[in-house]
Amino acid sequence: MTPPGPVGDRFRRFRERLADEHSNQPSVSAPGGDLTVRRDANRRRGGRRGGGEELRVPEAEFTSYYGRPVLKPPVWKWDIAAYLFTGGLAAGSSLLAAGGQLTRRPALRRAGRVTALAAVSASAVFLVRDLGRPARFHHMLRVAKPTSPMSMGTWILTAYGPAAGVAAIAEAAGVLPRHGLLGLAGRVLPPVGHAAGLLAAGTAPALATYTGVLLADTAVPSWHEAYPELPVIFAGSALASGAGVGLLAAPPAQAGPARRMAVAGAALELYGAHRVETRLGLLSEPYQLGRPGRLLRAGRLLTAGGVAGALLGRRSRVVGALSGTALLAASVLTRFGIFYGGVASARDPRYTVVPQRERVEARRSGMDLPSDRAAPPAV
Amino acid sequence: MCYDRLGVGMTPACAQACPTESIQYGPLDELRERAAARVATLHERGVAEARLYGHDPSDGVGGDGAFFLLLDEPEVYGLPPDPVVTTRDLPKMWKRAGLAALAMAAATVAAFVGGSS
């Protein structure tokens, strides 16, 4: 950033420059060459799109107030990126556990339930840590507001968390003694766990996908414009991480559904990430460059490797466990990549200004065309 | 400051203290009229870049409570050129999330029902 100089001085220079421009020729260049940032990517795109059509306005050079960001970057720290992973992991695990309990695959059920409880507990810690006044987290339960994804998420978690907790505690039934009070608990717990597991699985898809709305319903350009894809990526990532738990914990004979879940999850995740990295034009750039780009590329490689391992090594426990680990790691990397890609797009004013400017130009040229055909003058 | 002063029929302190009367306060319609007249005057004088920002209630954010007369593109002042309120697409976002959730549930069912192993 330019250090703020004496105000009067700066204004005088600005006025002189204006006077110069008026006396010489009406040049198009924005005031202050040092404030102007060249936009190479736009040029590239403009060239590709141009196709011989004459542009009404010369490709705007991008400016902002002393190169400062137009937006404030998100206040969320890394714990929200971590929550994106743990929330998705909890959701995926609960779905795996419910499938395991309905199709009598105890290894999948047990691993899914225990992971879900651990992950949802970690989620709660991450979320409460992020609040301005962590001790007042229960105030989130005073309102229910459909226009606030954070409020909706609080309620989804409130429904999901206890169900996942009860389902996991019910797993203790196996180690309780047969007689006495604890024996009674041992007989009551499995059906209670069954119901709780189904309830948790019922709310799990909402838990995994609302976070896409949570990110998209902000002014952060690369999140907001990616709103059709973010829930898809997060749903896929959650499925893949849940499947990873299944591959890690279950013997190959029981892990068939986890393998198929891994394929479905990876397909959704890779499709969504590909769309986000290619469809958004300039706003795809933050997902390709720098650290977010590296995270997303590594995530993609690990997802592909994990799925390949799960399919090819279906007889080997070791290969299955490695594939599961790869899928879990891929989910972490993807979440952090999406998170930091958005943060990068908020930090650089280019991503705020240029797409909006293009929108304005498109609207203006769209309005000009009919008026050329002698339509009544608008406003 | 503002609230107390407005309650006793005064203008906000910033508007009253502004030496160049750049900050103006009043009913929005009246301010819009005054601003449009000012822009017309500036255009007559050859300041073609003069424009209003945030005055239009039909823009992406429903018009700003305080609008500006700018002498350059909004971004030069650190303002977004075409802001959109983030909740405009919220129904579509929830719909996409709902679809993704359904896909997730369907994929799980298919994973457990389909296949033999």
Side-chain angles (χ1 to χ4, degrees):
Chain A
M1 293 298 139
T2 16
V7 175
D9 195 36
R10 183 155 285 175
F11 178 67
R12 224 165 291 127
R13 267 187 285 147
F14 173 72
R15 205 172 43 186
E16 278 159 18
R17 203 156 47 213
L18 272 190
D20 277 356
E21 275 172 20
H22 275 282
S23 62
N24 293 340
Q25 75 261 25
S27 97
V28 202
S29 81
D34 54 329
L35 312 183
T36 312
V37 184
R38 275 281 158 90
R39 218 189 121 238
D40 294 315
N42 189 31
R43 262 154 220 287
R44 247 187 287 132
R45 249 159 53 80
R48 206 198 308 151
R49 185 190 46 195
E53 183 196 359
E54 194 202 10
L55 287 173
R56 202 170 288 261
V57 185
E59 198 72 75
E61 289 195 337
F62 150 76
T63 51
S64 87
Y65 186 70
Y66 294 97
R68 283 175 186 279
V70 173
L71 293 176
K72 290 194 174 74
V75 292
W76 293 330
K77 295 179 289 291
W78 65 269
D79 18 20
I80 292 302
Y83 161 66
L84 294 179
F85 167 67
T86 53
L89 175 63
S93 306
S94 277
L95 286 172
L96 183 84
Q101 95 188 28
L102 291 176
T103 59
R104 298 183 194 288
R105 290 181 170 91
L108 291 184
R109 188 197 67 212
R110 199 171 308 125
R113 286 181 177 179
V114 172
T115 312
L117 175 59
V120 79
S121 309
S123 302
V125 172
F126 286 133
L127 286 177
V128 170
R129 262 169 57 98
D130 179 69
L131 291 175
R133 300 288 294 268
R136 297 192 187 169
F137 70 94
H138 53 276
H139 287 218
M140 286 301 295
L141 297 174
R142 293 196 314 181
V143 283
K145 200 174 159 191
T147 52
S148 161
M150 190 168 159
S151 170
M152 289 294 99
T154 307
W155 287 104
I156 292 171
L157 263 176
T158 308
Y160 170 85
V166 169
I169 289 168
E171 286 301 314
V175 295
L176 291 177
R178 284 178 181 280
H179 301 289
L181 203 60
L182 285 175
L184 183 69
R187 280 194 298 282
V188 171
L189 273 179
V192 171
H194 193 83
L198 291 182
L199 182 62
T203 42
L207 176 66
T209 51
Y210 96 88
T211 43
V213 184
L214 182 73
L215 295 194
D217 188 31
T218 58
V220 173
S222 286
W223 285 343
H224 187 82
E225 293 304 318
Y227 76 83
E229 285 89 12
L230 287 184
V232 177
I233 300 175
F234 290 174
S237 185
L239 277 177
S241 58
V245 171
L247 289 170
L248 262 175
Q254 281 187 39
R259 279 194 289 271
R260 288 187 287 275
M261 254 174 90
V263 173
L268 285 176
E269 186 180 340
L270 292 176
Y271 165 75
H274 177 75
R275 292 272 295 169
V276 155
E277 285 170 37
T278 51
R279 184 184 67 87
L280 304 178
L282 177 68
L283 292 179
S284 292
E285 219 177 76
Y287 296 122
Q288 296 160 349
L289 304 177
R291 186 167 59 151
R294 283 196 297 278
L295 287 169
L296 285 171
R297 279 192 295 275
R300 192 159 43 211
L301 279 179
L302 280 175
T303 303
V307 169
L311 290 180
L312 299 176
R314 61 179 65 200
R315 310 223 179 284
S316 157
R317 183 80 198 249
V318 177
V319 176
L322 281 176
S323 314
T325 314
L327 287 173
L328 285 168
S331 180
V332 177
L333 292 172
T334 305
R335 307 301 184 123
F336 274 80
I338 296 286
F339 181 83
Y340 283 111
V343 173
S345 79
R347 288 234 165 91
D348 190 339
R350 188 154 59 111
Y351 300 118
T352 311
V353 170
V354 174
Q356 293 193 14
R357 180 127 306 281
E358 283 171 358
R359 204 156 64 204
V360 172
E361 303 298 346
R363 203 161 46 217
R364 195 170 293 159
S365 57
M367 265 161 57
D368 281 356
L369 285 178
S371 72
D372 288 343
R373 296 187 205 118
V379 191
Chain B
M1 289 287 272
C2 286
Y3 188 81
D4 295 338
R5 291 172 61 90
L6 295 186
V8 292
M10 298 164 81
T11 57
C14 59
Q16 190 180 332
C18 186
T20 52
E21 290 182 9
S22 297
I23 303 175
Q24 301 197 8
Y25 175 81
L28 261 178
D29 292 339
E30 199 181 293
L31 288 176
R32 284 199 189 104
E33 249 169 59
R34 225 186 289 168
R38 178 67 184 154
V39 168
T41 319
L42 286 170
H43 283 179
E44 263 169 42
R45 289 195 203 157
V47 190
E49 310 83 35
R51 88 256 341 255
L52 295 177
Y53 179 85
H55 63 294
D56 185 1
S58 62
D59 69 6
V61 293
D64 301 349
F67 61 90
F68 305 90
L69 198 166
L70 306 181
L71 294 178
D72 205 330
E73 301 293 348
E75 55 266 32
V76 177
Y77 295 82
L79 298 165
D82 184 32
V84 165
V85 66
T86 56
T87 43
R88 188 190 63 179
D89 299 324
L90 194 60
K92 278 188 263 173
M93 291 178 194
W94 282 123
K95 208 172 130 197
R96 293 295 297 206
L99 286 175
L102 282 180
M104 216 178 146
T108 311
V109 171
F112 278 92
V113 173
S116 48
S117 59

